[in-house]
Amino acid sequence: AAGPKAAPAPAATAPSASGVDADDLVGRQLGSYRILRRVYEGKWGPTYEAEQVSMGRTVAMQVLAQDKQDDPIQKKQFIANASAKANIQHPVILSVYEAGEADGHCYFTHEHVDGQSLEAMQKSGMSIDETTALLAVRIAAEGLGFINTQKVAHSPLRASSILVGSDKRPRLANLALHGESEAPDTQTEIRELGRIVSDTMPPSLVTSGRLQKLLSKMREPGSESGFQSWPALLQAVKALEPKIIPADAFKLGAQEQAAIRAVEAARKAQKKSLILGVAGMASLLISIGVAVWFIFLRTNERDTSMMVKIPAGAFIFQDGEKVTLPDFYIGKYEVTIGQYARFLEALEENPGPGGKPDAQYDHPDQPKGKTHYPRSQQIWKTYYGRAQAGQPARFVPIDLNSPVFNVDWWDAYAYAKWKGRRLPTEQEWEKAARGTDGRKYPWGNEFDPKKVNSAADYTALPGPDTKAEVDGYFWWSPVDEITGDKSPYGVVGMAGNLNEWTSTWEEKDGTKFPVLRGGSYRSNENGKPQVSTTFRFVGLDPEVSLEAIGFRIASDTPPKE
């Protein structure tokens, strides 16, 4: 089953094998792909940068080498490996689009972003900084931990497996294989990961003692002294992130920060008065300047707090099971950045014992020491500042009406409890999305890419002049923007935009995970947007927080007026 769409991983741009000239496929069209250039020579054959002509997008294309093409056993294994990779869907792992054969060449395509593997960087004498190093450890731990939980065979982790895009964000190559695993045990891979990252970041560049300690512990050979599992390593990385990772590369300038602080101060001041009079408005304009007022207007947060009643009765669940539910209420829209910000402010203004944020809203099983800042306080402040100012992040529009993202399951649970509500069960979610007639999409049974914010326009790193031609958005959209994605009950955004946490947990391979429902702007299966009303995903740790995951809330009783 396809899961939340992965952040795209660039094809490795290491030089092809020594002495290998450009292949005669360059400049030709293979199936619906025009081959642009050869970028890497791997075990199975060359990888090219290609253009998918039908969609006008750039992809990476791995083509089976001719000597293997003529061997029926190796050809069968290549196709089986491509299928195994296509079945691995995780936000940090490179996703496969499709496999095919044309003009006597077997191939499969996957996401491509300009960048280099750590192997290529090492060979060219390049280094990574501490932030990239820590993120590289994180994505490897998340990705390989996920592959292990799926009990999928995979090739060993190498320096060529970790790729760093031009946005400095690491990604993990898709290591899934068909058949028996070639990979060493987890502790051996953790030690190898420590060595790989350390080799690409010389000790002279490490200024954080904590990071040095983490890498040293990863490389320790003894099973007792080193990390014994991917979750243990991931927990250590998460604890380090607030200390190592600064506000991201899209840090606001001094003037922007001053303007945002002024707007925030003005907004808080308004809490003390129900009405801001004309004289007060004039004073505000004088004190913070016309430019700040312009920013304030641009945020233009709208009321998206409405709840929709879903009447009691039976509906078709998944592939035909009839389920009867009582009345319930569900958020018409996904929870927004503006709404979530008020939750964080409430926690800050009402500290619990010892001056720590009040834990009365936390789930009893929530990990100790966890906060509810999405991903981290620094990352939240950057995104929130951009949203307040109405300024894009990575050329992706964002404002206070955008859905809150980077929230894990514990965050979603706490917010819902703070609101006096709860998360919907997955059955409630599905009924609200498809109604009682078992429709495939909220709007009907025919897919319409213009009705939903799906992967049709998704681009990992859009440029300032790039345009989203299908649904109008590369990443998230404001929760009330794409109204074609509307269910029979009037609930909006259930097919696309963000994957959504539910209150339902399900066991998989002996471990319980919360169920995610709904597609997102990244979700695809074999290159096609995955936004059906039955789309579900099980297998993500409740502590996973990603830019394509959000939530909405539900209630058993009508909302208070």
Side-chain angles (χ1 to χ4, degrees):
K5 180 67 174 56
T13 54
S16 56
S18 176
V20 177
D21 295 326
D23 193 283
D24 61 1
L25 288 179
V26 174
R28 292 175 53 187
Q29 186 156 328
L30 205 60
S32 62
Y33 300 92
R34 181 181 297 113
I35 298 178
L36 305 176
R37 67 185 182 96
R38 186 173 184 155
V39 294
Y40 186 73
E41 184 73 19
K43 173 183 176 181
W44 290 93
T47 294
Y48 298 94
E49 180 182 335
E51 179 189 10
Q52 187 174 6
V53 178
S54 60
M55 297 184 68
R57 68 175 171 184
T58 302
V59 302
M61 171 184 277
Q62 184 169 332
V63 179
L64 184 62
Q66 194 58 54
D67 61 330
K68 295 178 173 61
Q69 177 80 26
D70 297 331
D71 182 334
I73 296 177
Q74 295 198 69
K75 180 178 178 180
K76 182 178 179 181
Q77 183 66 42
F78 178 80
I79 295 171
N81 285 344
S83 177
K85 294 178 191 297
N87 286 323
I88 287 293
Q89 295 285 326
H90 187 279
V92 304
I93 300 174
L94 183 154
S95 276
V96 168
Y97 288 141
E98 65 175 355
E101 185 171 6
D103 299 332
H105 296 279
C106 280
Y107 66 86
F108 69 87
T109 60
H110 56 75
E111 298 164 304
H112 168 83
V113 173
D114 290 335
Q116 293 193 85
S117 68
L118 294 190
E119 179 184 60
M121 296 179 73
Q122 291 171 8
K123 289 180 177 179
S124 62
M126 298 175 63
S127 301
I128 56 176
D129 57 26
E130 292 179 323
T131 295
T132 305
L134 190 61
L135 290 176
V137 174
R138 177 174 181 139
I139 64 103
E142 287 184 349
L144 287 168
F146 174 75
I147 288 175
N148 286 350
T149 63
Q150 302 302 299
K151 301 188 184 305
V152 174
H154 68 280
S155 56
L157 177 71
R158 298 186 176 91
S160 59
S161 308
I162 299 175
L163 307 121
V164 181
S166 56
D167 56 357
K168 293 188 177 182
R169 296 177 63 201
R171 284 87 163 176
L172 183 66
N174 196 321
L175 302 178
L177 294 175
H178 174 75
E180 296 299 321
S181 176
E182 299 177 9
D185 63 82
T186 295
Q187 291 185 42
T188 300
E189 285 200 301
I190 290 175
R191 290 197 292 273
E192 177 65 8
L193 175 60
R195 184 195 65 76
I196 290 168
V197 173
S198 296
D199 286 351
T200 325
M201 187 185 63
S204 60
L205 297 180
V206 182
T207 60
S208 168
R210 291 186 176 93
L211 178 58
Q212 185 62 62
K213 184 177 180 181
L214 175 79
L215 294 173
S216 296
K217 186 175 181 181
M218 289 172 64
R219 299 193 304 271
E220 289 175 357
S223 60
E224 296 299 323
S225 55
F227 290 103
Q228 299 187 38
S229 68
W230 291 117
L233 174 58
L234 188 57
Q235 184 177 6
V237 171
K238 289 178 178 178
L240 263 187
E241 281 183 342
K243 304 174 180 66
I244 301 295
I245 301 177
D248 68 17
F250 311 102
K251 186 176 180 181
L252 302 175
Q255 291 183 334
E256 291 173 312
Q257 292 185 36
I260 289 168
R261 285 195 296 270
V263 172
E264 181 66 11
R267 191 190 60 74
K268 288 184 177 181
Q270 290 180 40
K271 290 182 179 179
K272 300 177 182 179
S273 174
L274 294 177
I275 300 175
L276 185 62
V278 175
M281 185 65 73
S283 174
L284 176 67
L285 287 171
I286 293 172
S287 63
I288 68 176
V290 176
V292 174
W293 176 240
F294 177 63
I295 291 174
F296 185 71
L297 282 176
R298 285 177 63 190
T299 63
N300 192 25
E301 184 180 1
R302 299 180 289 277
D303 180 13
T304 56
S305 62
M306 295 75 83
M307 303 283 285
V308 175
K309 180 179 180 179
I310 310 299
F315 79 106
I316 299 172
F317 179 65
Q318 290 294 294
D319 295 329
E321 178 188 358
K322 283 206 170 182
V323 174
T324 299
L325 298 175
D327 289 341
F328 67 94
Y329 297 80
I330 194 166
K332 182 174 182 178
Y333 304 105
E334 294 165 323
V335 174
T336 67
I337 290 174
Q339 291 168 340
Y340 196 84
R342 287 186 279 281
F343 165 56
L344 294 178
E345 289 166 4
L347 295 183
E348 292 174 355
E349 293 170 2
N350 298 281
K356 296 181 179 180
D358 200 327
Q360 63 176 306
Y361 309 114
D362 295 348
H363 190 280
D365 297 330
Q366 178 178 298
K368 292 182 180 180
K370 174 184 160 43
T371 74
H372 291 300
Y373 287 104
R375 189 65 67 88
S376 75
Q377 185 174 9
Q378 292 172 327
I379 290 175
W380 162 256
K381 284 184 175 180
T382 298
Y383 277 123
Y384 182 46
R386 288 281 172 179
Q388 284 181 303
Q391 296 199 8
R394 305 188 195 99
F395 302 111
V396 176
I398 185 172
D399 63 25
L400 297 180
N401 305 295
S402 300
V404 66
F405 51 86
N406 277 340
V407 283
D408 63 23
W409 189 89
W410 312 108
D411 297 330
Y413 174 93
Y415 174 90
K417 188 173 181 180
W418 172 72
K419 290 289 291 184
R421 313 267 169 77
R422 58 178 174 78
L423 295 177
T425 67
E426 75 155 321
Q427 290 184 344
E428 289 173 337
W429 190 99
E430 187 169 319
K431 182 176 182 180
R434 74 191 308 198
T436 60
D437 58 4
R439 59 184 59 194
K440 189 173 182 180
Y441 305 102
W443 56 86
N445 289 315
E446 298 298 324
F447 177 63
D448 185 343
K450 293 189 178 297
K451 285 184 177 291
V452 56
N453 182 5
S454 73
D457 273 330
Y458 174 62
T459 301
L461 192 64
D465 301 320
T466 316
K467 296 187 182 300
E469 302 291 348
V470 182
D471 56 55
Y473 290 91
F474 297 116
W475 289 28
W476 53 73
S477 63
V479 297
D480 57 348
E481 187 72 20
I482 301 183
T483 56
D485 184 2
K486 182 183 292 186
S487 80
Y489 301 109
V491 186
V492 176
M494 302 195 82
N497 215 18
L498 297 188
N499 307 111
E500 299 178 18
W501 293 114
T502 70
S503 65
T504 303
W505 287 59
E506 183 174 302
E507 186 171 310
K508 185 171 185 177
D509 298 325
T511 302
K512 283 193 173 182
F513 299 97
V515 178
L516 277 167
R517 293 304 307 263
S520 77
Y521 64 84
R522 290 182 182 176
S523 300
N524 75 63
E525 187 171 31
N526 296 325
K528 296 180 180 179
Q530 174 56 280
V531 292
S532 70
T533 54
T534 57
F535 179 55
R536 65 196 299 272
F537 184 76
V538 180
L540 284 187
D541 187 279
E543 285 189 72
V544 168
S545 55
L546 301 164
E547 291 166 327
I549 296 180
F551 67 100
R552 70 182 71 221
I553 56 177
S555 175
D556 297 315
T557 57
K560 296 180 180 179
E561 298 296 335

